[in-house]
Amino acid sequence: MPQGLQCWDASGNLVVDLTDYAIRYIGSTSVSFAQGESSKNVSFPGVTQAGSIVTIVSSSVAYSMNEFYCRAYDGGFNALYLPTGGTQAITLNVEIYSFQ
């Protein structure tokens, strides 16, 4: 049975297509933002820019969860607040996956 992950942006463009890859759970962590912060760098072993996905699964302020995104880099990931200016105090719970 085929499996994988596909994600589209607001314009309908395919931005992630992992249907040809095996996805493996690496782990999870929490990222806390103080009021006014807009980005965090988080070290996490096993994460690579070319082979990892970091997804936000929940937050301490549920309606604000969609205002953040995460981007993997070698050895960790960035968690960023999308709107201009800083955020209210919030904790994001993320899961990290690798794909091969």
Short mmCIF file of all heavy atoms in Angstrom, two decimals, residues 18-46:
data_model
loop_
_atom_site.label_atom_id
_atom_site.label_comp_id
_atom_site.label_asym_id
_atom_site.label_seq_id
_atom_site.Cartn_x
_atom_site.Cartn_y
_atom_site.Cartn_z
N LEU A 18 6.66 13.50 -0.08
CA LEU A 18 7.46 12.42 0.49
C LEU A 18 6.83 11.07 0.21
O LEU A 18 7.01 10.12 0.96
CB LEU A 18 7.62 12.63 1.99
CG LEU A 18 8.25 13.96 2.40
CD1 LEU A 18 8.31 14.08 3.91
CD2 LEU A 18 9.63 14.10 1.81
N THR A 19 6.10 10.95 -0.88
CA THR A 19 5.44 9.69 -1.17
C THR A 19 6.43 8.61 -1.61
O THR A 19 6.10 7.44 -1.59
CB THR A 19 4.36 9.88 -2.25
OG1 THR A 19 4.95 10.50 -3.40
CG2 THR A 19 3.22 10.74 -1.73
N ASP A 20 7.62 8.99 -2.00
CA ASP A 20 8.63 8.02 -2.42
C ASP A 20 9.67 7.76 -1.35
O ASP A 20 10.72 7.20 -1.62
CB ASP A 20 9.34 8.52 -3.68
CG ASP A 20 8.40 8.60 -4.87
OD1 ASP A 20 7.38 7.89 -4.87
OD2 ASP A 20 8.68 9.37 -5.79
N TYR A 21 9.42 8.16 -0.13
CA TYR A 21 10.39 8.05 0.94
C TYR A 21 9.82 7.26 2.11
O TYR A 21 8.61 7.25 2.34
CB TYR A 21 10.80 9.43 1.46
CG TYR A 21 11.50 10.29 0.44
CD1 TYR A 21 10.78 11.13 -0.40
CD2 TYR A 21 12.88 10.26 0.32
CE1 TYR A 21 11.43 11.92 -1.33
CE2 TYR A 21 13.52 11.04 -0.61
CZ TYR A 21 12.80 11.87 -1.43
OH TYR A 21 13.43 12.66 -2.34
N ALA A 22 10.71 6.64 2.87
CA ALA A 22 10.32 6.03 4.14
C ALA A 22 10.51 7.09 5.22
O ALA A 22 11.56 7.71 5.31
CB ALA A 22 11.20 4.82 4.42
N ILE A 23 9.48 7.30 6.03
CA ILE A 23 9.54 8.31 7.09
C ILE A 23 9.75 7.61 8.42
O ILE A 23 9.07 6.63 8.72
CB ILE A 23 8.25 9.16 7.11
CG1 ILE A 23 8.09 9.88 5.78
CG2 ILE A 23 8.28 10.15 8.25
CD1 ILE A 23 6.77 10.62 5.63
N ARG A 24 10.71 8.12 9.22
CA ARG A 24 11.03 7.52 10.51
C ARG A 24 10.95 8.58 11.60
O ARG A 24 11.48 9.68 11.45
CB ARG A 24 12.44 6.94 10.47
CG ARG A 24 12.85 6.23 11.75
CD ARG A 24 14.24 5.61 11.62
NE ARG A 24 15.27 6.60 11.36
CZ ARG A 24 15.98 7.23 12.30
NH1 ARG A 24 15.76 7.00 13.56
NH2 ARG A 24 16.89 8.10 11.96
N TYR A 25 10.27 8.25 12.69
CA TYR A 25 10.15 9.15 13.84
C TYR A 25 11.51 9.27 14.53
O TYR A 25 12.13 8.26 14.86
CB TYR A 25 9.11 8.59 14.80
CG TYR A 25 8.92 9.36 16.08
CD1 TYR A 25 8.21 10.55 16.09
CD2 TYR A 25 9.46 8.90 17.27
CE1 TYR A 25 8.02 11.26 17.26
CE2 TYR A 25 9.28 9.60 18.45
CZ TYR A 25 8.56 10.77 18.44
OH TYR A 25 8.37 11.47 19.61
N ILE A 26 11.99 10.50 14.74
CA ILE A 26 13.26 10.74 15.45
C ILE A 26 12.98 11.05 16.91
O ILE A 26 13.64 10.54 17.80
CB ILE A 26 14.06 11.89 14.81
CG1 ILE A 26 14.49 11.53 13.40
CG2 ILE A 26 15.27 12.22 15.66
CD1 ILE A 26 15.23 12.63 12.67
N GLY A 27 12.01 11.93 17.18
CA GLY A 27 11.71 12.29 18.55
C GLY A 27 10.80 13.49 18.63
O GLY A 27 10.28 13.97 17.62
N SER A 28 10.62 14.00 19.84
CA SER A 28 9.78 15.18 20.05
C SER A 28 10.42 16.07 21.09
O SER A 28 11.27 15.64 21.87
CB SER A 28 8.37 14.77 20.49
OG SER A 28 8.43 14.09 21.71
N THR A 29 10.01 17.32 21.10
CA THR A 29 10.51 18.28 22.07
C THR A 29 9.52 19.43 22.18
O THR A 29 8.57 19.52 21.41
CB THR A 29 11.92 18.80 21.69
OG1 THR A 29 12.47 19.52 22.78
CG2 THR A 29 11.89 19.66 20.45
N SER A 30 9.75 20.30 23.12
CA SER A 30 8.94 21.51 23.29
C SER A 30 9.84 22.72 23.10
O SER A 30 11.01 22.71 23.47
CB SER A 30 8.33 21.56 24.69
OG SER A 30 7.41 20.50 24.84
N VAL A 31 9.26 23.77 22.52
CA VAL A 31 9.98 25.03 22.29
C VAL A 31 9.16 26.14 22.94
O VAL A 31 7.99 26.32 22.60
CB VAL A 31 10.13 25.32 20.78
CG1 VAL A 31 10.90 26.61 20.57
CG2 VAL A 31 10.79 24.16 20.07
N SER A 32 9.77 26.86 23.87
CA SER A 32 9.06 27.94 24.56
C SER A 32 9.53 29.30 24.05
O SER A 32 10.73 29.56 23.97
CB SER A 32 9.31 27.86 26.07
OG SER A 32 8.71 26.68 26.58
N PHE A 33 8.56 30.13 23.72
CA PHE A 33 8.82 31.51 23.30
C PHE A 33 8.38 32.43 24.44
O PHE A 33 7.28 32.29 24.97
CB PHE A 33 7.99 31.88 22.07
CG PHE A 33 8.50 31.33 20.78
CD1 PHE A 33 8.24 30.01 20.41
CD2 PHE A 33 9.24 32.12 19.92
CE1 PHE A 33 8.70 29.50 19.22
CE2 PHE A 33 9.71 31.62 18.72
CZ PHE A 33 9.44 30.31 18.37
N ALA A 34 9.23 33.36 24.80
CA ALA A 34 8.86 34.41 25.74
C ALA A 34 8.08 35.47 24.95
O ALA A 34 8.17 35.55 23.72
CB ALA A 34 10.08 35.03 26.37
N GLN A 35 7.34 36.29 25.63
CA GLN A 35 6.60 37.36 24.95
C GLN A 35 7.57 38.24 24.17
O GLN A 35 8.62 38.64 24.67
CB GLN A 35 5.84 38.21 25.96
CG GLN A 35 4.99 39.27 25.31
CD GLN A 35 4.09 39.99 26.30
OE1 GLN A 35 4.00 39.60 27.46
NE2 GLN A 35 3.44 41.02 25.83
N GLY A 36 7.25 38.52 22.91
CA GLY A 36 8.05 39.37 22.06
C GLY A 36 9.07 38.65 21.21
O GLY A 36 9.63 39.23 20.28
N GLU A 37 9.35 37.38 21.47
CA GLU A 37 10.31 36.63 20.65
C GLU A 37 9.67 36.21 19.33
O GLU A 37 8.47 35.97 19.25
CB GLU A 37 10.80 35.37 21.38
CG GLU A 37 11.75 35.66 22.50
CD GLU A 37 12.31 34.38 23.09
OE1 GLU A 37 11.54 33.51 23.51
OE2 GLU A 37 13.55 34.28 23.13
N SER A 38 10.49 36.09 18.29
CA SER A 38 9.96 35.68 17.00
C SER A 38 10.68 34.48 16.40
O SER A 38 10.24 33.97 15.37
CB SER A 38 9.99 36.85 16.02
OG SER A 38 11.32 37.30 15.85
N SER A 39 11.78 34.03 16.99
CA SER A 39 12.46 32.85 16.47
C SER A 39 13.30 32.18 17.55
O SER A 39 13.72 32.83 18.51
CB SER A 39 13.33 33.19 15.27
OG SER A 39 14.41 34.00 15.68
N LYS A 40 13.50 30.88 17.36
CA LYS A 40 14.34 30.08 18.25
C LYS A 40 15.13 29.10 17.41
O LYS A 40 14.60 28.54 16.45
CB LYS A 40 13.50 29.26 19.25
CG LYS A 40 12.83 30.04 20.32
CD LYS A 40 13.75 30.20 21.48
CE LYS A 40 12.97 30.81 22.63
NZ LYS A 40 13.69 30.80 23.85
N ASN A 41 16.38 28.86 17.77
CA ASN A 41 17.17 27.79 17.20
C ASN A 41 17.24 26.69 18.24
O ASN A 41 17.57 26.94 19.39
CB ASN A 41 18.59 28.26 16.85
CG ASN A 41 18.59 29.27 15.73
OD1 ASN A 41 17.74 29.23 14.85
ND2 ASN A 41 19.54 30.17 15.75
N VAL A 42 16.92 25.47 17.83
CA VAL A 42 16.87 24.34 18.76
C VAL A 42 17.80 23.25 18.25
O VAL A 42 17.63 22.76 17.13
CB VAL A 42 15.43 23.78 18.88
CG1 VAL A 42 15.38 22.62 19.84
CG2 VAL A 42 14.46 24.88 19.29
N SER A 43 18.79 22.86 19.05
CA SER A 43 19.66 21.75 18.69
C SER A 43 18.92 20.44 18.91
O SER A 43 18.23 20.27 19.90
CB SER A 43 20.92 21.76 19.57
OG SER A 43 21.67 22.91 19.33
N PHE A 44 19.06 19.53 17.94
CA PHE A 44 18.43 18.22 18.07
C PHE A 44 19.25 17.23 17.25
O PHE A 44 19.34 17.35 16.03
CB PHE A 44 16.99 18.27 17.56
CG PHE A 44 16.12 17.19 18.13
CD1 PHE A 44 15.35 17.44 19.25
CD2 PHE A 44 16.09 15.92 17.57
CE1 PHE A 44 14.55 16.44 19.80
CE2 PHE A 44 15.31 14.93 18.11
CZ PHE A 44 14.53 15.18 19.22
N PRO A 45 19.88 16.26 17.92
CA PRO A 45 20.74 15.30 17.20
C PRO A 45 19.96 14.50 16.16
O PRO A 45 18.81 14.12 16.38
CB PRO A 45 21.23 14.37 18.32
CG PRO A 45 20.86 14.99 19.60
CD PRO A 45 19.80 16.00 19.34
N GLY A 46 20.59 14.26 15.03
CA GLY A 46 19.99 13.45 13.98
C GLY A 46 19.21 14.22 12.94
O GLY A 46 18.82 13.67 11.92
#
